[in-house]
Amino acid sequence: EVQLVESGGGLVQAGGSLRLSCAASGFAFNRYWTHWVRQSPGKGLVWVSRINEDGSSTNYADSVKGRFTVSRDNAKNTLYLQMDSLRAEDTAVYYCARSKVGVTNTYYFDYWGQGTLVTVSS
Amino acid sequence: SSELTQDPAVSVALGQTVRVTCQGDSLRTYYASWYQQKPGQAPILVIYDKNNRPSGIPDRFSGSSSGNTASLTITGAQAEDEADYYCNSRDINSNHPVFGGGTKLTVL
């Protein structure tokens, strides 16, 4: 059974840092792109970042570029999101998600974790 | 434009058919995927590659696409289908994934 379990969320002051983890199991973690998607309270889903299978390629949404860093440890089947210089607007539930590539070369997210809440106080 | 636009809310009578739409320029090139999210839960994939259902998704869910619009259709809506629905595709400028704003579906 495919499982993604996030951890590391919590309350942090603006300007602070936090590192999220996503433990993967039930599939060959090193064969999939994985992503972080966030959802602010009462709002919609927003893509944050992605990393390729071996960690050599990463991308970020403009809103987090230069402040967040995605990485992975395939030996530990774990995805990470290092979040620095946090702002109140980064408050959200952060989900990790596994993706596949569709026939038009578009990612779709076939498995999601349950999410971890990050609250940034100003 | 890189945006995907969805109606904020749609309602349907129990057992009737409802269509949830998603509009955006990228949909002329790239297929959409659709996600269902119930309160307090993570999203789940219900449609990918325009009209493919993952294992376990009921066949009352279907997808289609025409021009700049992708649609999710629920034929014979059930009470358990009440949820938020999000479309997702690819931003034609950045090549990054992008989500629509979501549609809250109410089953009456």
Side-chain angles (χ1 to χ4, degrees):
Chain A
E1 178 192 7
V2 172
Q3 284 196 325
L4 297 167
V5 180
E6 300 93 338
S7 61
L11 177 63
V12 61
Q13 287 190 331
S17 298
L18 212 55
R19 189 176 85 153
L20 306 183
S21 300
C22 172
S25 61
F27 68 101
F29 180 66
N30 62 359
R31 294 184 182 179
Y32 291 86
W33 284 74
T34 48
H35 304 244
W36 290 98
V37 177
R38 70 185 182 184
Q39 186 171 35
S40 299
K43 302 297 185 182
L45 301 172
V46 176
W47 177 81
V48 172
S49 181
R50 67 184 175 192
I51 187 168
N52 71 339
E53 296 92 332
D54 65 6
S56 61
S57 177
T58 59
N59 299 104
Y60 301 91
D62 288 344
S63 59
V64 306
K65 195 177 298 182
R67 300 188 298 121
F68 289 13
T69 303
V70 62
S71 62
R72 66 193 297 160
D73 185 337
N74 285 343
K76 295 182 178 180
N77 289 339
T78 303
L79 173 72
Y80 302 101
L81 186 67
Q82 176 67 40
M83 303 186 296
D84 298 320
S85 302
L86 282 161
R87 307 167 179 167
E89 53 265 37
D90 296 319
T91 294
V93 173
Y94 285 74
Y95 296 100
C96 62
R98 187 183 90 166
S99 69
K100 290 185 173 180
V101 180
V103 297
T104 56
N105 208 26
T106 300
Y107 291 102
Y108 61 91
F109 307 99
D110 62 343
Y111 286 95
W112 298 66
Q114 282 303 302
T116 187
L117 176 63
V118 172
T119 303
V120 183
S121 64
S122 54
Chain B
S1 171
S2 61
E3 294 181 347
L4 296 179
T5 302
Q6 297 183 240
D7 292 328
V10 172
S11 62
V12 61
L14 184 67
Q16 297 302 301
T17 296
V18 63
R19 178 177 293 180
V20 180
T21 60
C22 174
Q23 290 188 306
D25 289 343
S26 65
L27 299 178
R28 298 184 185 278
T29 305
Y30 301 114
Y31 286 153
S33 53
W34 289 92
Y35 304 84
Q36 177 193 72
Q37 186 181 35
K38 297 181 179 179
Q41 297 184 18
I44 62 170
L45 177 69
V46 294
I47 292 289
Y48 65 97
D49 279 348
K50 188 172 77 171
N51 191 22
N52 287 278
R53 282 178 289 105
S55 173
I57 300 302
D59 60 6
R60 63 179 179 271
F61 289 88
S62 63
S64 62
S65 184
S66 178
N68 72 336
T69 301
S71 300
L72 171 70
T73 300
I74 307 174
T75 303
Q78 301 299 302
E80 60 263 33
D81 299 334
E82 187 163 287
D84 294 327
Y85 290 86
Y86 295 90
C87 61
N88 163 251
S89 189
R90 178 172 169 169
D91 183 326
I92 55 175
N93 295 314
S94 68
N95 287 322
H96 296 166
V98 60
F99 288 93
T103 297
K104 182 177 183 59
L105 175 66
T106 300
V107 179
L108 304 172

